[in-house]
Amino acid sequence: MTGKRINGWQGVRDEVLRRIQTGQWKPGELIPGELQLAHELGCARTTVNRALQDVSDRGLVHRRRKAGTHVARHPVRKAVLNIPVIRIEIEASGQKHGYRLIDRSLAVPPAAAAARLGAKKRARALHVSALHLADGEAYVLEDRWINTSAVPAAASADFSRLSANEWLVENAPFSGGDIAFSAANASAAEAEILGGAPASALFVVERSTWNDKTGITAARLVFAPGYKMLTVI
Amino acid sequence: MTGKRINGWQGVRDEVLRRIQTGQWKPGELIPGELQLAHELGCARTTVNRALQDVSDRGLVHRRRKAGTHVARHPVRKAVLNIPVIRIEIEASGQKHGYRLIDRSLAVPPAAAAARLGAKKRARALHVSALHLADGEAYVLEDRWINTSAVPAAASADFSRLSANEWLVENAPFSGGDIAFSAANASAAEAEILGGAPASALFVVERSTWNDKTGITAARLVFAPGYKMLTVI
DNA sequence: GAGTGGTCTAGACCACTGT
DNA sequence: CAGTGGTCTAGACCACTCC
């Protein structure tokens, strides 16, 4: 007994985090094995294993069989971004969600969008452009291409009341996707719709999703001036 | 036996994901209990529990004692951003990291920065401004305030060769922090240093970190034009 | 109160990898 | 080859919460 009270695997994790934060275990250093820690802290090895896997997931230690567990030299902090449906994001902040469909048409997407959809050249896809509002103010402009050969049902959805964003979540399951965050100067049209001066800096999110290697949709979300995306480490 | 081969808890997780993706289990629906699933898949309840916790962490199901496990109605996708030390980020992409210290001085921080540091009014803090380069090209401008009462050792670090970013990782452990991502128009000075037209849109990251409620540092990272931050879902 | 998930345990075997 | 983490198991008890 060390006199310390450890409360479950989260308690073990916190103790490990404390030893790293206080410098008791320094970067690059080998920490005791699971069995030894379990004995020291008075719990089963399984519990220590669970705790250390959590610390490893956070990037604070590296674990290798036979080599043991080492404190990371260059901890790679991980920030988890929650990506909810836009309506929910707005409502979660206590605001009223508004929605206005701007365009819905079948057309040949530009090369960049076609590539992200994995569609054939000159194949037509469904284009949906819409504005989301929070308490009546422009919030984000959604410009989206949908691969109708992968999601045929989309051809008969009208998107005038339910956004493509939300419709897809409920009707087009996906197995993976990628996201890019960047900044862009507002085009004249974007400045007109979103408000703010022409060429003002806008926060842009580009998402592609696919299901089993088949492209489903590619969206470009342009947020109104002043938007910040927040999270914690 | 169902004739299905399940390979460990990750196999169970994949099977659960498959059933959600294919719509076999629909949004809002109650899925079988752990014991029943364990029996169906031919493994121990512990294994099913491990798998379902992983699926829950991804936001695809909600679990409540007594109520059981339900498929989420509005799955909140989570994107994990890796936040490495800037030098490592540049070197990981195969480029050569360059570094130029622009300013290092003790001064009274502006109100916004002071608030993020949790410092007293009119208290002085250490200001460090530096440019990081990738293969000789401007990459990101780092503008940072350090709370010297929380990290006294910083006062004697010179930051001319090792960036404050990296020095702090090794010398000032922290327990938490927050990050904000946004877009901003380049100031004249920023355009001059980073290249690109005046007022071009720049990607901005603002970080604050603290240790046990004591503010450590507040940094504003302004990336060169065209920067994109990528991740997967 | 009863049912479900959350966690702990002790033991076992496997998988990887440094020496 | 040997040491360490990765995982599975069966059983147990606890904690929460819906009815």
Side-chain angles (χ1 to χ4, degrees):
Chain A
M1 291 291 266
T2 62
K4 217 164 240 313
R5 267 261 153 272
I6 298 296
N7 215 349
W9 70 267
Q10 301 195 15
V12 173
R13 178 199 59 195
D14 292 345
E15 173 63 15
V16 170
L17 290 177
R18 195 185 63 76
R19 292 187 184 185
I20 293 175
Q21 279 169 14
T22 60
Q24 181 175 344
W25 290 340
K26 302 192 190 321
E29 183 178 337
L30 174 68
I31 76 175
E34 295 185 347
L35 214 54
Q36 184 177 338
L37 268 180
H39 183 259
E40 179 188 343
L41 300 176
C43 62
R45 182 173 81 94
T46 314
T47 304
V48 173
N49 180 272
R50 178 73 189 242
L52 288 180
Q53 283 198 12
D54 192 89
V55 178
S56 177
D57 284 344
R58 297 172 180 226
L60 294 176
V61 297
H62 286 140
R63 318 192 73 199
R64 279 171 8 252
R65 287 165 155 123
K66 169 73 179 177
T69 301
H70 293 259
V71 179
R73 289 180 190 280
H74 298 290
V76 177
R77 290 288 175 166
K78 299 186 197 302
V80 178
L81 294 175
N82 290 325
I83 318 278
V85 169
I86 295 170
R87 177 176 66 80
I88 301 288
E89 175 179 340
I90 291 173
E91 290 175 352
S93 66
Q95 298 179 290
K96 187 174 186 323
H97 175 248
Y99 174 76
R100 208 173 78 224
L101 181 62
I102 295 173
D103 177 57
R104 180 197 182 286
S105 58
L106 268 175
V108 177
R116 291 202 288 152
L117 284 181
K120 297 186 190 110
K121 272 185 200 170
R122 287 173 309 195
R124 294 200 294 177
L126 185 59
H127 178 246
V128 179
S129 176
L131 178 67
H132 295 260
L133 306 101
D135 279 350
E137 297 279 319
Y139 185 80
V140 63
L141 187 57
E142 174 186 356
D143 187 87
R144 183 183 295 272
W145 291 90
I146 301 172
N147 185 350
T148 44
S149 56
V151 197
S156 51
D158 86 337
F159 303 126
S160 63
R161 297 194 58 84
L162 187 68
S163 75
N165 177 285
E166 201 156 343
W167 186 91
L168 285 164
V169 167
E170 293 174 8
N171 296 280
F174 62 96
S175 58
D178 51 39
I179 306 189
F181 305 92
S182 58
N185 290 101
S187 68
E190 288 166 344
E192 168 74 21
I193 294 174
L194 292 171
S200 57
L202 303 180
F203 188 76
V204 177
V205 177
E206 288 162 307
R207 279 191 242 171
S208 306
T209 61
W210 58 81
N211 197 15
D212 195 30
K213 293 174 186 166
T214 303
I216 300 289
T217 182
R220 175 182 164 93
L221 305 175
V222 183
F223 288 81
Y227 178 82
K228 284 195 181 189
M229 181 174 253
L230 307 172
T231 188
V232 296
I233 307 186
Chain B
M1 291 289 269
T2 61
K4 217 165 240 311
R5 268 262 154 272
I6 299 297
N7 216 350
W9 70 266
Q10 302 195 14
V12 174
R13 179 198 59 196
D14 292 345
E15 173 63 14
V16 169
L17 290 177
R18 195 186 63 75
R19 292 188 184 184
I20 293 174
Q21 280 170 14
T22 60
Q24 181 175 343
W25 290 340
K26 302 193 189 318
E29 184 178 337
L30 175 68
I31 77 176
E34 296 185 346
L35 213 54
Q36 184 177 338
L37 269 179
H39 183 259
E40 179 189 344
L41 299 176
C43 61
R45 183 173 82 94
T46 314
T47 305
V48 173
N49 180 273
R50 177 72 186 241
L52 288 180
Q53 283 198 11
D54 192 89
V55 178
S56 177
D57 284 344
R58 297 172 181 228
L60 294 176
V61 297
H62 286 139
R63 319 191 73 200
R64 280 170 8 250
R65 288 164 154 123
K66 168 72 179 179
T69 301
H70 293 258
V71 179
R73 288 179 190 280
H74 298 289
V76 176
R77 291 288 175 167
K78 299 186 197 302
V80 179
L81 294 175
N82 290 326
I83 319 277
V85 169
I86 295 170
R87 177 175 66 79
I88 301 289
E89 174 180 340
I90 291 173
E91 290 174 353
S93 66
Q95 299 179 288
K96 187 174 186 323
H97 175 246
Y99 174 76
R100 206 172 79 223
L101 181 63
I102 296 174
D103 177 58
R104 180 196 183 286
S105 57
L106 269 175
V108 177
R116 292 203 288 154
L117 285 181
K120 297 188 191 109
K121 272 186 201 171
R122 286 173 309 195
R124 294 201 294 178
L126 185 59
H127 178 247
V128 178
S129 176
L131 178 68
H132 295 260
L133 305 99
D135 278 351
E137 297 279 320
Y139 186 81
V140 63
L141 187 57
E142 174 187 357
D143 187 87
R144 183 184 295 272
W145 291 91
I146 301 172
N147 185 349
T148 44
S149 54
V151 197
S156 51
D158 86 337
F159 304 126
S160 63
R161 298 195 56 84
L162 187 68
S163 74
N165 176 286
E166 200 156 343
W167 186 91
L168 285 164
V169 167
E170 292 173 10
N171 296 280
F174 63 95
S175 58
D178 52 38
I179 307 189
F181 305 92
S182 58
N185 290 100
S187 68
E190 288 166 344
E192 169 74 22
I193 295 174
L194 292 171
S200 57
L202 303 179
F203 188 75
V204 177
V205 177
E206 289 162 307
R207 279 191 241 171
S208 305
T209 60
W210 57 81
N211 197 15
D212 194 30
K213 294 174 186 167
T214 303
I216 300 289
T217 182
R220 175 183 165 93
L221 304 175
V222 183
F223 288 81
Y227 179 82
K228 284 194 181 190
M229 181 173 254
L230 307 172
T231 189
V232 295
I233 307 186

